[in-house]
Amino acid sequence: MTLTPVRTAAELRALPGAARRAVVMTMGALHEGHATLVRAARDRVGPDGTVVVTVFVNPLQFGAGEDLDRYPRTLDADLRIAEAAGADAVFAPAVDEVYPGGEPQVRITAGPIGERLEGASRPGHFDGMLTVVAKLLHLTAPDLAFFGQKDAQQLALIRRMVRDLNFPVEIVGVPTVREDDGLALSSRNRYLSAEERATALALSRALFAARDRLAAQEALRARAAALPGAQGRAEDRAEALSRLGEARAAADAHAVAQVVEGGGAEAVRAAARVVLDDAAKARTPLTLDYLALVDPDDFTEVEDDHDGEAILAVAARVGSTRLIDNLPLTFGATK
C-alpha cells in the first residue's frame, strides 16, 4: 500500500494539479459499492485526472440514539480499497479540521424534500449531510462528484443544493451495487447476524416484486393497445368474451381492464407490501419504517395514474440495524 491519508486542508491544497478532479465522499468502512464509485470517477477523469476519496464520519448527520459511536472506522482497509480502485488520494480529516471551533452555527437547510421519508425518520439528518457535502466540495474543489443511487434522497438533495446554490461541479449518480442475493451493499450490513441478514433480503425482494408487477402491467397495456377494437373499453371486451364462454381470454381481458382503467401505482406498492408483511412475521422480524413510491424530483407520493419516472423507496429495521434501499421505475413506458 502506497497511499497515506491526507489529514488537513493545507495538505489537500498541496496535491498536484490535474486536468480534472473528481471526488467520492464516504464515511469510511469502504466496500465494493464505494470501489465502484471510485472506478467510475477514474474512468471519467482519465489517467491524467485526480480522484480524491474523502473518509469522514460526520457527526452532524447522526441523531440522538443513532450509531455514531459504533459506526465502523477502518481507515487502513479503506486506503487499500481506495488505492486498488484507482484513487490518487484519501482525505481523512479529524472533526476539528472540518469543523474548527466546534459545530457550525451556519448550516445548509434541506428544505421540504429534507423533511420527507428519511428526513421524517431522522430529523436534521439531511441538514447535517448537506452541510458537510458543501464543505467537502469547497475543500476538494472537484469538477465532478460521484454518489451512489442507493441513497436516492441524498443524491436528489445534493443535486438540488448544487443547482440552487450554483456550485461549479457536476454531480454523477452511480447505480446501486448489490450482493449476489440482491442485498444492497452497505457499511451497516456488517452489523447483521446470519438470521437478520436473511430477513433483510426482504427489502430487495420487495423492490423486485414491485418491479415485476410493473413489468406485467406494462405488458398488459401493450397487449391491450394491440387488441382489435382497442379504442373500446377493456371492461366491455372482457364481458363480451365471458358471454361467449371464452373463460381464459375473458380473465386475461379483465386483467387488461384492471390495468388500463385503474392505473397501477397502488398495485406496484401492494406487490412490495406483501413481501414486507411476510418478513414482519419472521422469527427475526423486519420492522418497516416506510415504503413509498415517489416522484424523483420532490419525493412526494405519486398518484395511482402516474406516468413517467418514480422511485420506490423502503426503510426498515432488522434487529438494531436500520437499512434503506430503493429502485427506479418507469410507468407508462409502453404507451
Side-chain angles (χ1 to χ4, degrees), residues 224-225 227-241 243 250 253-262:
L227 284 173
Q231 300 306 312
R233 293 178 70 246
E235 288 178 350
D236 293 340
R237 292 195 299 277
E239 293 302 328
L241 287 165
R243 286 194 298 272
H254 276 296
V256 170
Q258 183 180 10
V259 171
V260 174
E261 307 287 347

Side-chain angles (χ1 to χ4, degrees), residues 276-301:
L276 296 170
D277 288 348
D278 283 346
K281 302 169 188 173
R283 188 168 67 175
T284 301
L286 176 147
T287 302
L288 184 65
D289 187 346
Y290 62 76
L291 173 71
L293 185 60
V294 298
D295 186 304
D297 291 330
D298 60 11
F299 276 72
T300 57
E301 289 276 359

Side-chain angles (χ1 to χ4, degrees), residues 56-61 93-107 127-133 135-136 139:
F56 181 65
V57 182
N58 176 34
L60 296 192
Q61 64 195 72
V95 172
D96 58 4
E97 180 70 22
V98 178
Y99 302 120
E103 291 191 2
Q105 295 184 35
V106 177
R107 307 187 186 195
D127 292 356
M129 178 276 295
L130 289 177
T131 298
V132 80
V133 168
K135 289 179 72 72
L136 290 173
L139 289 168

Side-chain angles (χ1 to χ4, degrees), residues 15-196:
L15 290 176
R20 303 190 84 193
R21 178 179 287 191
V23 66
V24 175
M25 297 184 191
T26 83
M27 292 204 300
L30 301 191
H31 50 64
E32 179 58 24
H34 298 110
T36 299
L37 295 174
V38 177
R39 288 192 291 268
R42 170 55 63 201
D43 287 345
R44 282 291 301 272
V45 301
D48 297 328
T50 297
V51 176
V52 177
V53 174
T54 69
V55 173
F56 181 65
V57 182
N58 176 34
L60 296 192
Q61 64 195 72
F62 287 80
E66 293 189 333
D67 56 355
L68 173 61
D69 290 337
R70 74 166 183 152
Y71 197 87
R73 290 158 172 86
T74 57
L75 183 57
D76 288 343
D78 295 344
L79 290 168
R80 289 191 292 270
I81 291 171
E83 183 175 23
D88 297 294
V90 172
F91 181 45
V95 172
D96 58 4
E97 180 70 22
V98 178
Y99 302 120
E103 291 191 2
Q105 295 184 35
V106 177
R107 307 187 186 195
I108 302 291
T109 299
I113 301 175
E115 298 172 359
R116 298 169 188 141
L117 301 187
E118 284 298 290
S121 297
R122 305 175 66 190
H125 166 72
F126 284 127
D127 292 356
M129 178 276 295
L130 289 177
T131 298
V132 80
V133 168
K135 289 179 72 72
L136 290 173
L137 286 175
H138 287 309
L139 289 168
T140 59
D143 301 288
L144 307 103
F146 290 73
F147 296 89
Q149 291 178 359
K150 185 178 83 71
D151 297 296
Q153 193 172 4
Q154 170 181 283
L155 176 58
L157 278 163
I158 292 169
R159 283 179 165 148
R160 188 64 186 244
M161 177 184 73
V162 164
R163 184 180 71 189
D164 287 354
L165 301 184
N166 299 105
F167 280 71
V169 61
E170 178 186 346
I171 303 300
V172 182
V174 178
T176 300
V177 180
R178 299 183 180 277
E179 301 277 7
D180 291 342
D181 57 12
L183 186 68
L185 287 178
S186 169
S187 300
R188 290 186 170 92
N189 290 351
R190 68 185 65 198
Y191 300 152
L192 299 169
S193 69
E195 193 170 84
E196 288 169 344

